Amino acid sequence: MSRRSERLIAQGYYDEEVGGQIVHGLTSKGIQKQTSQTQWGDIGYYTARSVIRGKSFPLIPGHCWPMEGSTGQVFIQLAQKIHISHVTLAHITKELSPIGQIYTAPRKFSTYGLREIGGDEYKLGTYEYSDTGDSFQTFQIQDHADEMFKFVRLEIESNYGSNYTCLYNFRVHGRIAGETRG
């Protein structure tokens, strides 16, 4: 993980420990079993809340939030309004996977900022999570970086070929009003 990624991870406004939370009514449903069968066996049942918990390192195969299908969304209320600069998406690497592949990893995804629930959505960017990259991959916001947002919607548009998608961690980084860029 790069020094920049480590610094960004330290400034997370998404983390439920500092007031971030999942908006459940606007978040896709996860697989609703106590355990779910995967290509490497059963995984424990995790809720969407596990995606924004700050203490998710190191990543452990199967310790994720599984959503049915290759598409879905997570809707997050940030701890406070911020100028979003980057987002980080995490999944185990092929090296950590017991089968040497990460078919359940999100592939193409987009992020949107909102000032309020039900308000206008501002597309922050569309990205691709690399199945050959690091577990934690950080992406710079492409549009609307000078706007302030209280909510973020992560839209998973595809994965690497599974009938479900696992989210291990999603982080939103930025600065509050009046804070200087670092």
Side-chain angles (χ1 to χ4, degrees), residues 1 5-16 50-59 74 76 78 82 84-90 109 111 124 127 135-139 141 152 154 168-174:
M1 188 179 319
S5 291
E6 289 173 5
R7 189 168 42 105
L8 286 169
I9 286 168
Q11 0 174 146
Y13 296 97
Y14 56 88
D15 193 330
E16 74 176 6
S50 65
V51 174
I52 63 167
R53 289 196 175 130
K55 294 180 171 66
S56 59
F57 190 79
L59 300 180
V74 178
I76 301 166
L78 302 173
I82 65 168
I84 300 169
S85 62
H86 297 78
V87 294
T88 298
L89 187 64
F109 69 97
T111 55
L124 305 176
Y127 313 95
S135 290
F136 287 82
Q137 297 178 25
T138 300
F139 304 87
I141 295 305
V152 173
L154 165 65
Y168 282 81
N169 192 267
F170 179 69
R171 299 171 180 199
V172 179
H173 314 283

Side-chain angles (χ1 to χ4, degrees), residues 142-161:
Q142 298 166 346
D143 296 305
H144 303 289
D146 290 330
E147 305 275 344
M148 290 194 71
F149 299 107
K150 177 72 173 169
F151 300 91
V152 173
R153 183 170 69 88
L154 165 65
E155 180 181 347
I156 305 298
E157 298 172 19
S158 65
N159 67 20
Y160 280 92

